[in-house]
Amino acid sequence: MPYATTRLKRPITPKVTMPEHSRHSGRQPRPEDDTPPSVRDFTVDDLHALRHDVTLFARASGLVDPVLYRFVLGVHELATNAVRHGGGHGHLELCRARDQLRCRISDHGPGMPHVSPRIRPAVDALNGRGLWLAQHAGELACTSDSRGTTVTLTCTIPPPSTAEDLHA
């Protein structure tokens, strides 16, 4: 069944709550630093800003490249899937708990026909890469039924590097 992209016209700005910790504090986050969740509704028009905000939150939580890049790309692909297949909009919850960064994206679309580990799409496939890319960014958990889909991406935050590590 083909999916149609629906563009919703929303006169108000989506709800955004960014925790204080996401601001640059001048110190590396510690494993005991849990953050309140960042919560946001989004549409196709919000995807660029959403990616930027996720990058800032993940960096402030201690992710660095290449883990940072993979996590942000995975979240972006999941958000794009929610917009494309989930009725034109989605809901994001992003939080840090100890050494884990967790992103939960949900939508109210028709659900996915199957939720299983994704294999690499064929080179000539026009779609099907979103979940495949996201699973390479961390642990991916999906639930889906006729009321919508929720996908959670969890990434372990590596311990911060020190100058001693560079000289070892």
Side-chain angles (χ1 to χ4, degrees):
M1 173 178 280
Y3 292 99
T5 301
T6 306
R7 208 172 242 222
L8 297 178
K9 299 207 186 254
R10 294 179 10 148
I12 58 172
T13 305
K15 176 183 172 189
V16 179
T17 307
M18 293 301 287
E20 286 295 316
H21 180 70
S22 70
R23 295 188 183 131
H24 296 285
S25 64
R27 68 167 176 81
Q28 285 292 324
R30 297 176 305 227
E32 61 273 13
D33 290 341
D34 291 351
T35 60
S38 170
V39 178
R40 176 180 192 143
D41 294 320
F42 60 90
T43 67
V44 69
D45 295 328
D46 304 313
L47 290 176
H48 178 76
L50 181 84
R51 186 172 180 143
H52 176 75
D53 292 345
V54 169
T55 301
L56 292 177
F57 188 97
R59 184 176 290 129
S61 295
L63 285 188
V64 294
D65 284 328
V67 178
L68 172 66
Y69 172 79
R70 289 186 190 118
F71 184 79
V72 172
L73 177 63
V75 171
H76 179 78
E77 290 295 327
L78 296 174
T80 301
N81 281 354
V83 168
R84 184 170 182 206
H85 306 296
H89 54 91
H91 181 77
L92 174 136
E93 296 174 37
L94 186 63
C95 69
R96 177 189 174 148
R98 299 266 178 202
D99 66 342
Q100 302 279 309
L101 191 57
R102 184 173 302 120
C103 178
R104 178 177 294 131
I105 294 184
S106 54
D107 65 50
H108 296 289
M112 297 189 310
H114 56 82
V115 179
S116 61
R118 307 289 298 176
I119 59 170
R120 185 176 187 169
V123 174
D124 58 348
L126 297 177
N127 55 33
R129 288 180 179 79
L131 288 176
W132 181 78
L133 284 168
Q135 75 184 3
H136 293 285
E139 182 180 327
L140 198 63
C142 304
T143 57
S144 189
D145 59 28
S146 60
R147 294 174 288 152
T149 300
T150 298
V151 182
T152 304
L153 176 62
T154 305
C155 176
T156 299
I157 300 169
S161 297
T162 64
E164 292 150 11
D165 293 338
L166 298 175
H167 299 299

